[in-house]
Amino acid sequence: MNHYLVEKSIANRLKESNHEERKLIFQTMYEELFNKVPDHPRLTRRNSEELTATVNKNKFSLISRFLDKSSVFVEFAPGDCKFAFEVANHVKSVYGVDISDQHNPTDNLPENFKLIV
């Protein structure tokens, strides 16, 4: 229930904001969400390298037949970018497109990866 209420509150602020205010909300909304919802699935997965690897392996199995070393891959809303980093091992280049930078600053970014905020 808490998760729903927090997301609803953020969504209401977004709906009521103008363009400039939305840009500011986008910059901090995930930090707010994760602070107020400590059991958020993205956080619990992030804390488990094994679970992250399993999720990414399953997602990659769905798209791998469409990719090769000459492919350019774009992921919209890549979140922590872990999946995009995995795909980067198999393609020419990867772009992540999101409303904010949510990757871990200690992650080593693949040379063929670019985040577009």
Side-chain angles (χ1 to χ4, degrees):
M1 182 66 150
N2 178 52
H3 187 162
Y4 168 77
L5 293 174
V6 171
E7 291 220 20
K8 184 177 176 183
S9 170
I10 294 169
N12 285 336
R13 285 199 329 265
L14 285 168
K15 286 191 293 187
E16 295 168 2
S17 64
N18 64 37
H19 181 72
E20 290 304 313
E21 292 167 334
R22 264 192 306 281
K23 285 198 263 185
L24 296 173
I25 294 169
F26 287 155
Q27 291 173 8
T28 60
M29 67 186 225
Y30 283 106
E31 183 178 341
E32 176 184 349
L33 174 65
F34 297 149
N35 284 333
K36 292 181 178 177
V37 186
D39 61 342
H40 191 282
R42 189 183 304 168
L43 292 177
T44 57
R45 187 188 81 221
R46 184 183 296 166
N47 292 333
S48 168
E49 288 184 28
E50 184 178 320
L51 181 55
T52 297
T54 299
V55 168
N56 287 345
K57 180 181 175 186
N58 291 339
K59 288 178 7 180
F60 188 75
S61 71
L62 295 171
I63 64 167
S64 62
R65 67 181 179 179
F66 302 108
L67 303 174
D68 61 38
K69 284 291 187 184
S70 69
S71 298
V72 175
F73 180 80
V74 177
E75 183 178 18
F76 293 92
D80 63 11
C81 300
K82 297 286 189 188
F83 181 63
F85 297 165
E86 175 61 33
V87 173
N89 294 318
H90 306 277
V91 298
K92 179 180 177 182
S93 56
V94 174
Y95 294 91
V97 179
D98 211 329
I99 60 171
S100 66
D101 183 350
Q102 301 167 56
H103 86 280
N104 186 334
T106 64
D107 285 339
N108 292 321
L109 302 181
E111 288 185 26
N112 61 340
F113 172 80
K114 179 173 173 133
L115 180 64
I116 300 168
V117 178

